[in-house]
Amino acid sequence: MSIQRISVNPRLSGAILHGGLAWLSGQVPDDRTADCAGQTRQVLAKIDALLAQSGSDKTRLLSAQIWLKDITADFAAMNEVWCEWLPEGAAPARATIQADLASPDVLVEIMLTAATGV
C-alpha cells in the first residue's frame, strides 16, 4: 500500500492517505483577528478542502481532536459552528480540550481522521 501526502511543506503534510484513511494535520485559521466562531468556520473550510483533495468528505469522519485556547469562553461558540457544519448522523468520535496553542492569537485547532475511497 502506498502513502500519499497532500499539501506538503518542510514541517508537515496537510493530509496523509493510506489504507483507505485520511489523517488531516491540525488546521488553524488564517485570519486570527476573528472570534472563535469565525476562526472555527475558517478551520472547517480548510478541512473541507483537504477532505475533498483526499477523496473524502465530512460524512466520512471517524475521529476529531479539537483544541481550544479557552474552553470556558469558547466551547459553546465552537460547538455551535461545528454542529452547523456537521451533517446529521455523521458525528465522529471526538475529544475537545483546552491547550496553549502554537500562536497566542489562535483560538481553535482541529485535527481529523476520515475514511476515503482511496
Side-chain angles (χ1 to χ4, degrees), residues 85-103:
W85 174 78
L86 194 64
E88 186 174 337
R94 185 185 114 171
T96 305
I97 63 167
Q98 180 169 301
D100 286 330
L101 299 172
S103 180

Side-chain angles (χ1 to χ4, degrees), residues 44-103:
L44 294 174
K46 291 170 95 173
I47 286 170
D48 280 332
L50 281 170
L51 287 171
Q53 291 174 53
S54 300
S56 189
D57 61 54
K58 59 190 170 187
T59 67
R60 301 184 62 132
L61 301 179
L62 301 173
S63 67
Q65 298 172 36
I66 302 172
W67 296 274
L68 294 173
K69 180 177 178 139
D70 185 340
I71 201 164
T72 302
D74 293 329
F75 187 70
M78 179 280 301
N79 256 337
E80 183 175 337
V81 174
W82 173 265
C83 289
E84 290 170 2
W85 174 78
L86 194 64
E88 186 174 337
R94 185 185 114 171
T96 305
I97 63 167
Q98 180 169 301
D100 286 330
L101 299 172
S103 180

Side-chain angles (χ1 to χ4, degrees), residues 90-114:
R94 185 185 114 171
T96 305
I97 63 167
Q98 180 169 301
D100 286 330
L101 299 172
S103 180
D105 51 359
V106 171
L107 304 178
V108 61
E109 181 170 349
I110 301 175
M111 182 176 183
L112 299 174
T113 303

